[in-house]
Amino acid sequence: MGLKEDLRSIPGRIFDALGNVAAKVTYERETKGPVDPVTGQTVTVTSKQVRAVFLTFSEQRVAVGDIKAGDIRMVVPASELGFQPQAQDNVVRGGGRYTVIAYETDPVQAHYSIQVRKS
């Protein structure tokens, strides 16, 4: 195992240590495809269960204007998500639904810090 792989495994181990602090959420991505002859739908929803830690943004970040009051920062190990987040993806947490606004990652893509907004 190389250094990159070692570094990518760290967030998963941290989430293991956090135990119940990390919430299980459903990450959803809608993709347009051919018409399903049974349902008539053209949208396919791909869902994936992942662990996430939810944090608030600092008042300074909100003041800059790229973050709105009420936005939440969701941190997810990249190894659990398995693909890059995209704006307009959705996250279901408990009874709440959130829309992905933006995301950042670290240099080795070990985790994603995702800005979500209540839908």
Side-chain angles (χ1 to χ4, degrees), residues 8 76-78 84-85 102-114:
R8 286 182 182 153
V76 177
Q84 274 189 336
Y103 76 93
E104 299 172 341
T105 190
D106 58 274
V108 296
Q109 297 180 341
H111 79 284
Y112 292 110
S113 177
I114 304 170

Side-chain angles (χ1 to χ4, degrees), residues 1-117:
M1 187 180 283
L3 180 58
K4 257 188 182 179
E5 289 77 20
D6 287 343
L7 292 172
R8 286 182 182 153
S9 70
I10 291 172
R13 293 194 308 248
I14 291 170
F15 274 60
D16 290 343
L18 288 173
N20 291 336
V21 173
K24 289 200 180 229
V25 300
T26 302
Y27 192 98
E28 297 178 340
R29 174 168 292 162
E30 293 182 0
T31 52
K32 294 202 184 280
V35 176
D36 181 326
V38 175
T39 65
Q41 299 293 319
T42 61
V43 175
T44 301
V45 177
T46 304
S47 298
K48 185 152 193 174
Q49 291 282 103
V50 297
R51 293 178 295 173
V53 173
F54 289 85
L55 307 165
T56 57
F57 285 102
S58 68
E59 290 180 21
Q60 292 86 357
R61 291 280 309 263
V62 173
V64 169
D66 59 337
I67 308 292
K68 288 189 177 181
D71 284 359
I72 299 171
R73 179 177 169 213
M74 181 177 91
V75 179
V76 177
S79 61
E80 290 195 17
L81 193 54
F83 51 83
Q84 274 189 336
Q86 292 180 351
Q88 303 306 311
D89 286 351
N90 294 296
V91 176
V92 179
R93 174 187 181 203
R97 187 171 188 80
Y98 301 84
T99 301
V100 173
I101 304 302
Y103 76 93
E104 299 172 341
T105 190
D106 58 274
V108 296
Q109 297 180 341
H111 79 284
Y112 292 110
S113 177
I114 304 170
Q115 175 188 354
V116 296
R117 186 171 294 152

